[in-house]
DNA sequence: ACTTTTTTGTACCATTTCGCATTAAATTCC
DNA sequence: GGAATTTAATGCGAAATGGTACAAAAAAGT
């Protein structure tokens, strides 16, 4: 159950990613890259339209291995979503924490977001949080909770951003950081959706620019 | 192939919805209400997770009748989407055309939108355009075109709204109607997504209020 | 060399899914 | 009343789907 139950208890403290000398037949796949492939498929087609055969083919693992490594399809979807969130957070956290002017921070956040949403060999894949909200979230309480967490996490990050900017005098006194944060999230959501409709990057950047102009001049 | 090939050519000009005296066994269903039921299902579960059996049960039509009336599953989905768009347009067009103050128009539009997104017996169903963008739009060009049309139609309606308001002096000279329209659409999208994550109406209304405040005070 | 452990690979099963072929029913036209 | 026409109802069938049983394979321990 525990993520990394590799090392025998007698192992040295230092080594974590060294070869742990597992007992049986070695794995023919790397769990991390396999999960990445699964995520790619789920992001493109969604939960219901992605079959275990598809996943098996994409990961190179046969079905029993898939099942043994990640559990059933739903569990794999959940793990894929967590992986997506981890990646997205890792890509943005530095920018959210950075001590740069508001406009610059927003520009960098949206650039990263567009990179994520527009990537994909067979068309742009959008935002997995939005996709999951649009599909499984209504019927599956656990997944819905994760989605809600993803949405509020973004709201909060933007909220801190705008509160910080207001304290530094980058925004007028009347500015409402919470409302601005919701607008910043809304802009994320709208470009994620439009990306999947294959709106070209140019146009999405124009939408972002308009939104940033409004948010930076808010009163 | 033609939508309404009911009347014999000798029929009177006046009568369109009167009983057309069809030749064979009468239909046991009303196409309009059946399509409405199908739309309900598709909106809740999406294309892939809705089976023909589900549709058959919900509409009361058996599978061959479904097929005969609407074509295969994909065609039924497309017709459902068109129905959704028609309904949504019908619910909003009067407000977009009305000659009321900007703030009031926006408030009314978002109230209608929330009504649509939050309705549904088994949980809120969100916006079908957004759902379709999040699922079939990447892989199906025809559906993608419809989604894109839906997105731009909303942008345009809001655009006219803001341009009108600017001409009437409700917005400062520096205001950018196109950018505001994108923000208004973004607000639609964000509440549609959050609705499916079961964010309560109260919170959605607060988000809408914050957005309206910003849009009406835009400079 | 033999046992133990872990993973792989093949094959299978029950169920679901979509689509259609065929027959039975209900209505109008003659 | 009988032919023609349109729809309903039953049910089939081929394929796909999620999941698992079971034996072979590959490594470490003894």
């Amino acid at each position: 159950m525990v993520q990394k139950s590799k090392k025998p208890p007698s192992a040295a403290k230092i080594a974590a990613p060294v070869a742990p000398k597992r007992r049986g037949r070695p794995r023919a796949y790397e769990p991390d890259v396999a999960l990445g492939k699964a995520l790619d498929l789920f992001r493109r087609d969604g939960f219901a339209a992605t079959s275990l055969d598809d996943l098996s083919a994409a990961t190179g693992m046969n079905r029993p291995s898939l099942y043994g490594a990640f559990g059933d399809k739903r569990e794999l979807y959940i793990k894929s979503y967590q992986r997506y969130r981890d990646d997205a957070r890792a890509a943005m956290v530095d920018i959210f924490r950075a001590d740069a002017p508001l406009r610059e921070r927003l520009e960098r956040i949206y650039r990263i977001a567009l990179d994520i949403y527009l990537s994909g060999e067979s068309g742009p894949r959008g935002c997995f949080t939005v996709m999951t909200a649009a599909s499984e979230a209504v019927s599956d309480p656990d997944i819905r909770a994760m989605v809600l967490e993803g949405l509020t996490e973004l709201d909060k990050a933007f909220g801190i951003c705008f509160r910080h900017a207001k304290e530094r005098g980058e925004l007028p006194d009347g500015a409402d950081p919470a409302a601005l944060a919701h607008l910043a999230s809304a802009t994320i959501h709208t470009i994620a959706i439009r990306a999947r409709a294959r709106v070209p990057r140019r146009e999405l950047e124009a939408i972002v620019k308009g939104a940033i102009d409004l948010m930076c001049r808010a009163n």
Side-chain angles (χ1 to χ4, degrees), chain A:
Chain A
M1 288 302 156
V2 184
Q3 186 85 310
K4 300 192 175 181
S5 59
K6 296 177 185 175
K7 318 180 269 186
S10 60
K13 283 182 179 178
I14 332 150
V18 294
K21 284 279 187 186
R22 299 180 58 87
R23 195 88 148 48
R25 178 170 174 170
R27 288 204 188 100
Y29 59 91
E30 281 196 81
D32 278 359
V33 317
L35 190 57
K37 298 286 188 185
L39 172 57
D40 281 348
L41 271 198
F42 278 135
R43 286 191 64 189
R44 193 185 63 190
D45 298 329
F47 177 79
T50 304
S51 73
L52 285 187
D53 278 339
D54 297 335
L55 292 164
S56 180
T59 58
M61 303 163 65
N62 41 35
R63 228 139 1 114
S65 294
L66 254 180
Y67 199 85
F70 302 111
D72 68 6
K73 192 182 168 189
R74 179 173 169 277
E75 287 180 83
L76 177 53
Y77 187 84
I78 290 175
K79 291 194 170 86
S80 298
Y81 179 67
Q82 288 167 341
R83 160 69 165 271
Y84 172 79
R85 280 269 301 281
D86 290 344
D87 288 355
R89 186 174 18 235
M92 296 190 175
V93 66
D94 287 343
I95 308 175
F96 273 122
R97 285 210 186 114
D99 201 33
L102 176 63
R103 168 166 237 111
E104 191 184 316
R105 290 161 106 191
L106 293 176
E107 281 169 354
R108 288 171 64 192
I109 288 290
Y110 286 114
R111 192 176 317 139
I112 302 282
L114 285 176
D115 288 344
I116 294 174
Y117 300 162
L118 293 174
S119 69
E121 301 185 4
S122 46
R125 288 172 307 177
C127 169
F128 201 30
T129 298
V130 169
M131 285 186 62
T132 305
S135 50
E136 315 311 309
V138 261
S139 54
D140 190 315
D142 296 337
I143 293 181
R144 179 166 65 243
M146 294 195 315
V147 166
L148 195 53
E149 201 182 84
L151 295 174
T152 56
E153 183 179 331
L154 188 65
D155 288 339
K156 279 184 185 163
F158 275 127
I160 293 172
C161 218
F162 284 112
R163 222 166 297 129
H164 187 184
K166 192 178 172 186
E167 287 166 6
R168 295 174 90 202
E170 294 186 273
L171 288 172
D173 283 353
D176 179 350
L180 287 169
H182 283 140
L183 224 63
S185 288
T187 302
I188 286 280
H189 299 155
T190 204
I191 62 174
I193 290 162
R194 291 170 198 263
R196 279 188 71 93
R198 280 204 161 84
V199 172
R201 182 166 189 134
R202 254 339 128 74
E203 287 182 44
L204 299 180
E205 286 170 340
I207 291 174
V208 165
K209 184 181 180 311
I212 291 181
D213 286 347
L214 273 160
M215 292 189 281
C216 288
R217 237 178 282 152
N219 55 349

